[in-house]
Amino acid sequence: MDLKDIQNLIKFVAKSGASEVKLEMEDIKITIKTNPEESGKEQMFVQQMPITTIPQIPVQQPVTLPQTTVADTPESKPTTVEDDSKYVTIKSPMIGTFYRRPAPDKPLFVEVGTTVKKGDVICIIEAMKLFNEIESEISGKIVKVLVDDSSPVEFDQPLFLVEPA
């Protein structure tokens, strides 16, 4: 589309009485707005910008490692699994961005060693520009924070390990 075509389009829109016309083609996007209410005269705005495509970022597939047998070495008992079994895992109720503090200049909701009661706010998850306060499901002591601040989380992803009180 050349300049003459754009000028003809503007004249056509002005004569038709339409207040706004949008035209999108393969490589160009044009918006023409008329505003006859302002001071009795007609004003037109033309916006022309190339349409660009956003490149797709490849998703990295998880790597599966071969399993090793635990029976080979007697000192490699899964002691951490037994220790973790007494803890309760608080999981993410939604997909979003995990925040440990209410604002960048505010203190953390909870840290390792913090005692929480059922219903205490322990973090915020932002989803679609909404900040959702996540409350503790149980009373106890925070043993481990499993997610870094300002990182994306998935539904049902473990966030905290809590030692029940």
Side-chain angles (χ1 to χ4, degrees):
M1 181 171 243
D2 63 358
L3 185 59
K4 244 183 191 189
D5 292 333
I6 294 173
Q7 288 173 340
N8 288 334
L9 183 62
I10 292 171
K11 288 177 188 173
F12 178 76
V13 170
K15 289 179 185 176
S16 71
S19 61
E20 183 176 343
V21 174
K22 291 183 179 182
L23 176 66
E24 291 185 31
M25 296 166 39
E26 289 178 11
D27 59 343
I28 201 167
K29 177 180 175 182
I30 298 175
T31 303
I32 302 172
K33 294 182 183 181
T34 59
N35 194 359
E37 295 90 33
E38 268 187 32
S39 66
K41 59 182 175 181
E42 199 167 305
Q43 295 180 353
M44 285 184 245
F45 306 93
V46 178
Q47 177 184 12
Q48 180 176 349
M49 53 181 20
I51 298 175
T52 58
T53 58
I54 300 172
Q56 293 281 335
I57 299 172
V59 178
Q60 183 177 355
Q61 297 296 323
V63 177
T64 56
L65 298 174
Q67 291 185 341
T68 58
T69 56
V70 179
D72 293 343
T73 56
E75 63 270 357
S76 65
K77 287 186 181 178
T79 55
T80 56
V81 174
E82 292 172 8
D83 292 342
D84 288 351
S85 65
K86 67 180 178 181
Y87 302 134
V88 175
T89 304
I90 297 178
K91 297 181 180 181
S92 174
M94 65 186 68
I95 296 173
T97 304
F98 173 84
Y99 293 105
R100 294 188 60 197
R101 55 184 82 225
D105 58 340
K106 301 287 182 188
L108 299 173
F109 285 111
V110 293
E111 298 179 55
V112 173
T114 303
T115 302
V116 293
K117 296 184 293 282
K118 184 175 183 175
D120 286 353
V121 176
I122 55 174
C123 67
I124 290 178
I125 296 181
E126 175 194 3
M128 298 187 66
K129 304 291 183 197
L130 294 175
F131 292 87
N132 304 283
E133 292 183 342
I134 308 303
E135 297 176 350
S136 177
E137 304 158 353
I138 61 161
S139 296
K141 184 169 85 172
I142 301 291
V143 177
K144 189 170 187 181
V145 180
L146 303 171
V147 180
D148 292 330
D149 193 32
S150 303
S151 61
V153 292
E154 295 292 326
F155 172 75
D156 217 26
Q157 178 178 342
L159 303 175
F160 299 95
L161 283 182
V162 179
E163 182 178 6

